Amino acid sequence: MGFFLFFFLSLLSLASSASRVDQKTFIVRVQNEAKPSVFTTHKHWYESSLSSVLSPSTPIQLLHVYDSVFHGFSAKLSPTEALKLQTLPHFIAVIPEQVRHLQTTRSPLFLGLKTTDSAGLLKESDFGSDLVIGVIDTGIWPERQSFNDRNLGPINSKWKGQCVTTNDFGSNSCNKKLIGARYFCSGYEASNGKMNETSEFRSPRDSDGHGTHTASIAAGRYVFPASTLGYAKGVAAGMAPKARLAAYKVCWNAGCYDSDILAAFDSAVADGVDVISLSVGGAVVPYYLDAIAIGAYGAAEKGIFVSASAGNGGPGGLTVTNVAPWVATVGAGTIDRDFPADVKLGNGKVVTGAGVYNGRGLSPGRMYPLVYAGSGVGDGYSSSLCLEGSLDPDFVKGKIVLCDRGINSRAAKGEVVKKAGGVGMILANGVFDGEGLVVDCHVLPATAVGASNADEIRQYIDSASKSKSSATATILFKGTRLGVRPAPVVASFSARGPNPETPEILKPDVIAPGLNILAAWPDKVGPAGIPSDNRRTEFNILSGTSMACPHVSGLAALLKAAHPDWSPAAIKSALMTTAYTVDNRGETMVDESNGNTSTVLDFGSGHVHPTKAMNPGLVYDITPKDYVDFLCNSNYTINNIQVITRRNADCSGAKRAGHVGNLNYPSFSTVFQQYGKHTMSTHFIRQVTNVGDPNSVYKVTVRPPSGTLVTVEPKQLVFRRVGQKLNFLVRVEATAVKLAPGSTNMKSGSIVWSDGKHNVTSPIVVTMQQPL
């Protein structure tokens, strides 16, 4: 309530000076079934309501009308008009729009999905056949082989979607693989004016590449041979190769607008998708102000699994986004493949790096002059980052240039160096980037190096300068390397917990492959993703939690196909409780940013393990009523809750649920405030459903977080039949620790239920917080 009060007080302060130029897009929540009988449609009612708050000379224009996951509309309003609208009967909330951004092969094999298995998730699910994955992204390039429909059966009659055709997206663009395609740009154009159709398509066609890439990760067909510029050669395949795809384009050159995203959710649910994949993120706000959380709730309530990227704000803490408990929040890990491109320095040292390049390269055996871009004349800060126009051609011509990461894209830095006459580039991670190496298809020979190696290269350049000698280097491209150890590793960029909105819900939920992933790519976009790159490739290598999310979307489709009766929460539970936390050396996964052991705040429950997820033994299921109790216990008002759930909330039973951490979630998290107390305690109530074998007995093993006492009652769960539900209680006691004011201390452990065949594992996190 406090946020809304602040928001509307802010509107009041703006109201006196507001004019038409102050207009912004607002999403308006209207009470269900409140339409007066004098209006034939909700649209007419909304327009009439708008006319009562707009000046007579102002045209009435609804951007979108929502009916499936949300009840209401979006429109451009001034703060004064938004304030007036809020006072009308049956108008529940006026939500300011956010602009979101994209969270920008071998992974099926790395995940254990083998086509040759006679039994397994691919076989059991018939490769996801007949399930529909809706991808909310930048659109799709339908002609790619990853989207061919060879040997696919007829489209399920439950499908109600459509293929929106335009001049550049003809009626033959869709087939039995790509069964739906729509685009939503009203919110985008309301904020930015009419789109420039010379640089982007007013259609479902992808002019960026991100949406084509993510769609093929989720459900691309088998394509051989596949590679990018000769790297990562092999068979390309998505997670659910026979699943159907529906593309919902909401992301444009200036970003992805909430009003359009909500319209895509609304259409996807009405169309009949089974899974929604969303590799888009933004600022974390309360769930009743978050269009993604609102849309995802409406989808989950209809039985649709929603996965979303955790964000690329890592390795710092509190960076995770898309944190609603009804969303599967996916972080990124590495796979056991990389693309080494080392730097050989003139002093004989070889510094490890990573890169892909197959154009006119550096001459073998030749050493080239090496300079640090920030050492040239002019603005040292701009030139150190290799920003447009910052490099002096006299300084860099014929040389390999060391550029720092930041501000402009990594590929754009290569273009700046090339235009200034440089022959190669070394891309240097900063301290915040750590040691994580992301490869790009650069327009000149280039490699990425970690922060410590970048320091070593700078020191070499400095020492050469002081000794009046020339620093030299070359880049040694070594192709594709498989069987890399350790793997998986938590990607440096992958956003981390704790959950900024609800610390009692551990986020991210899981991690999946997201670093240097090969997938389909549009025909009119160069692999570097910059306008000057005229190269063309069927596939491209990208990194981000954007790439991790569709791995989980595809896996969810496989699980839904194998277990049609499982709810979205049951599917997420199966993925979480069977996830693993050890790498291919048998040790706890490490954090790519610093090489240290990673924690549950980095990887959540762990890295997904699809074959185990098919048969998890037990699942933690969650009903819509459980989510309402969770929202009640989050101290949301009835109004706030109605914005999300589209119906009047009853919070009378919420106290029986106890507290916000008692949502039946597959992980456990509590925060203790140390207000001078020596000992603190809490409890969790959980219910598990047997989806394994009848007549099975599960015994609990507890590994408590250090400094805590964790007890579970009962210690044994005896199931007579499949589908039976049993409850258990977890008590946690913690002793205060010495902390500076405002600081926290996090410890983790685990609770494992085992029947000798299944191990149902949940992390338990205890955070001690010293108030200011």
Side-chain angles (χ1 to χ4, degrees):
M1 191 63 195
F3 189 98
F4 263 126
L5 184 60
F6 170 79
F7 171 58
F8 286 112
L9 286 174
S10 302
L11 289 186
L12 279 168
S13 69
L14 289 168
S16 60
S17 60
S19 67
R20 302 311 302 167
V21 294
D22 295 318
Q23 281 194 321
K24 292 179 179 169
T25 298
F26 291 86
I27 297 168
V28 182
R29 174 73 172 85
V30 184
Q31 205 166 38
N32 289 21
E33 307 311 322
K35 177 178 70 67
S37 58
V38 294
F39 298 106
T40 54
T41 66
H42 283 93
K43 184 170 185 275
H44 291 149
W45 176 38
Y46 300 155
E47 288 171 339
S48 174
S49 302
L50 273 179
S51 69
S52 69
V53 302
L54 299 175
S55 63
S57 60
T58 304
I60 297 166
Q61 185 186 3
L62 298 179
L63 301 177
H64 296 289
V65 173
Y66 310 107
D67 198 39
S68 295
V69 298
F70 187 79
H71 205 75
F73 62 93
S74 51
K76 279 196 82 172
L77 302 166
S78 70
T80 311
E81 292 157 355
L83 188 61
K84 285 181 185 174
L85 203 59
Q86 173 76 12
T87 65
L88 297 181
H90 310 301
F91 280 65
I92 296 170
V94 181
I95 304 168
E97 178 170 67
Q98 262 199 77
V99 185
R100 316 279 181 152
H101 297 283
L102 302 164
Q103 319 261 249
T104 261
T105 223
R106 185 171 160 78
S107 48
L109 193 61
F110 182 72
L111 287 166
L113 294 171
K114 298 175 185 169
T115 59
T116 53
D117 286 353
S118 58
L121 186 51
L122 282 173
K123 181 81 172 172
E124 291 290 323
S125 65
D126 188 24
F127 299 79
S129 183
D130 282 345
L131 271 287
V132 183
I133 302 174
V135 180
I136 299 177
D137 212 296
T138 66
I140 196 163
W141 197 270
E143 293 81 9
R144 282 300 178 230
Q145 279 305 301
S146 295
F147 311 125
N148 80 70
D149 65 355
R150 281 192 299 274
N151 302 320
L152 287 181
I155 298 166
N156 195 307
S157 58
K158 71 160 193 167
W159 178 246
K160 302 290 186 279
Q162 67 179 103
C163 193
V164 175
T165 59
T166 64
N167 289 341
D168 57 62
F169 202 88
S171 57
N172 60 348
S173 298
C174 290
N175 55 20
K176 288 184 288 186
K177 176 66 176 177
L178 177 62
I179 64 172
R182 299 178 185 268
Y183 66 98
F184 305 87
C185 60
S186 297
Y188 167 56
E189 291 191 310
S191 295
N192 296 276
K194 197 166 165 39
M195 78 172 68
N196 178 0
E197 294 185 43
T198 63
S199 63
E200 51 188 337
F201 302 108
R202 184 187 292 278
S203 78
R205 188 171 289 281
D206 184 6
S207 58
D208 178 272
H210 189 275
T212 301
H213 201 270
T214 55
S216 71
I217 291 171
R221 303 298 303 275
Y222 290 99
V223 181
F224 176 84
S227 70
T228 297
L229 308 180
Y231 288 80
K233 290 179 179 175
V235 178
M239 296 296 98
K242 281 191 180 179
R244 318 303 171 118
L245 280 166
Y248 299 88
K249 182 177 177 179
V250 300
C251 295
W252 307 86
N253 286 352
C256 324
Y257 288 74
D258 270 358
S259 55
D260 295 333
I261 292 171
L262 195 56
F265 268 106
D266 213 55
S267 288
V269 171
D271 289 347
V273 302
D274 299 286
V275 173
I276 291 176
S277 187
L278 182 75
S279 292
V280 170
V284 174
V285 293
Y287 305 125
Y288 56 86
L289 295 173
D290 184 344
I292 291 176
I294 293 167
Y297 181 89
E301 192 181 45
K302 297 270 175 61
I304 299 164
F305 182 94
V306 180
S307 57
S309 48
N312 294 346
L318 284 167
T319 50
V320 64
T321 65
N322 294 323
V323 295
W326 45 85
V327 171
T329 310
V330 188
T334 66
I335 61 174
D336 59 346
R337 176 185 70 196
D338 65 10
F339 308 100
D342 299 340
V343 179
K344 184 179 180 183
L345 300 174
N347 61 7
K349 282 191 177 177
V350 175
V351 173
T352 57
V356 296
Y357 184 72
N358 80 335
R360 187 175 173 188
L362 303 171
S363 300
R366 180 181 168 188
M367 301 295 283
Y368 292 82
L370 171 67
V371 294
Y372 173 48
S375 301
V377 295
D379 177 1
Y381 176 70
S382 295
S383 57
S384 69
L385 295 166
C386 297
L387 301 183
E388 182 68 37
S390 67
L391 298 184
D392 178 3
D394 293 337
F395 180 62
V396 304
K397 189 173 183 182
K399 298 171 185 171
I400 293 175
V401 182
L402 179 69
C403 300
D404 292 335
R405 277 179 64 176
I407 308 294
N408 58 341
S409 75
R410 299 181 300 269
K413 295 177 191 293
E415 182 182 37
V416 170
V417 171
K418 185 178 182 180
K419 283 202 304 201
V423 296
M425 177 180 70
I426 301 167
L427 195 57
N429 279 5
V431 173
F432 190 74
D433 303 308
E435 304 308 311
L437 301 182
V438 178
V439 306
D440 301 279
C441 296
H442 288 285
V443 293
L444 83 172
T447 188
V449 297
S452 57
N453 282 344
D455 287 341
E456 186 175 339
I457 295 171
R458 285 191 203 93
Q459 287 165 10
Y460 164 64
I461 293 171
D462 285 344
S463 64
S465 174
K466 286 172 184 169
S467 65
K468 307 295 185 202
S469 59
S470 295
T472 60
T474 191
I475 302 172
L476 308 171
F477 292 97
K478 297 182 175 179
T480 305
R481 181 172 60 175
L482 303 177
V484 172
R485 293 162 74 91
V489 168
V490 179
S492 181
F493 56 77
S494 187
R496 315 298 165 95
N499 180 335
E501 179 62 16
T502 313
E504 297 83 1
I505 301 294
L506 180 63
K507 293 283 181 170
D509 291 308
V510 290
I511 64 170
L515 184 75
N516 303 331
I517 301 299
L518 179 89
W521 193 246
D523 195 38
K524 293 198 174 172
V525 184
I530 52 178
S532 65
D533 186 5
N534 295 317
R535 297 171 297 175
R536 295 295 176 256
T537 179
E538 175 101 5
F539 297 91
N540 199 7
I541 295 168
L542 296 186
S543 298
T545 54
S546 276
M547 284 62 250
C549 165
H551 278 90
V552 169
S553 309
L555 295 177
L558 294 179
L559 290 170
K560 182 80 173 171
H563 302 284
D565 56 330
W566 282 10
S567 69
I571 292 170
K572 182 163 73 165
S573 173
L575 288 164
M576 289 172 68
T577 62
T578 59
Y580 60 92
T581 59
V582 296
D583 59 30
N584 55 7
R585 306 169 304 171
E587 298 175 27
T588 301
M589 288 186 288
V590 299
D591 182 341
E592 187 189 35
S593 69
N594 54 24
N596 296 337
T597 300
S598 55
T599 74
V600 291
L601 297 184
D602 306 325
F603 54 67
S605 292
H607 192 286
V608 291
H609 193 309
T611 48
K612 284 191 176 177
M614 189 179 83
N615 186 12
L618 306 175
V619 293
Y620 294 79
D621 210 352
I622 304 177
T623 66
K625 185 183 181 311
D626 296 330
Y627 288 128
V628 170
D629 287 346
F630 162 81
L631 294 168
C632 293
N633 287 324
S634 299
N635 295 322
Y636 283 13
T637 66
I638 298 298
N639 221 41
N640 297 157
I641 297 169
Q642 196 175 348
V643 171
I644 300 164
T645 64
R646 307 183 314 290
R647 57 179 56 87
N648 289 322
D650 178 6
C651 283
S652 59
K655 286 195 169 48
R656 283 199 301 278
H659 55 84
V660 70
N662 267 347
L663 181 67
N664 200 40
Y665 216 68
S667 56
F668 300 81
S669 176
T670 190
V671 180
F672 289 124
Q673 302 284 349
Q674 298 190 159
Y675 290 105
K677 300 173 188 170
H678 179 64
T679 59
M680 289 139 285
S681 65
T682 191
H683 72 279
F684 299 97
I685 301 165
R686 290 292 191 270
Q687 181 182 80
V688 284
T689 304
N690 181 20
V691 295
D693 304 316
N695 300 312
S696 52
V697 178
Y698 284 82
K699 295 180 179 177
V700 72
T701 303
V702 178
R703 187 175 65 82
S706 63
T708 70
L709 175 66
V710 177
T711 56
V712 178
E713 292 294 337
K715 294 178 170 50
Q716 178 170 293
L717 297 174
V718 181
F719 292 94
R720 299 296 175 214
R721 66 183 191 280
V722 175
Q724 186 179 353
K725 300 174 186 291
L726 292 176
N727 295 345
F728 65 93
L729 175 72
V730 179
R731 287 192 179 88
V732 180
E733 292 180 31
T735 305
V737 294
K738 194 168 179 61
L739 290 172
S743 61
T744 60
N745 175 278
M746 187 279 293
K747 299 291 183 186
S748 67
S750 63
I751 294 173
V752 184
W753 289 100
S754 179
D755 66 347
K757 178 179 175 183
H758 308 93
N759 292 313
V760 187
T761 305
S762 295
I764 180 165
V765 181
V766 175
T767 303
M768 313 298 286
Q769 201 164 62
Q770 188 65 40
L772 285 166

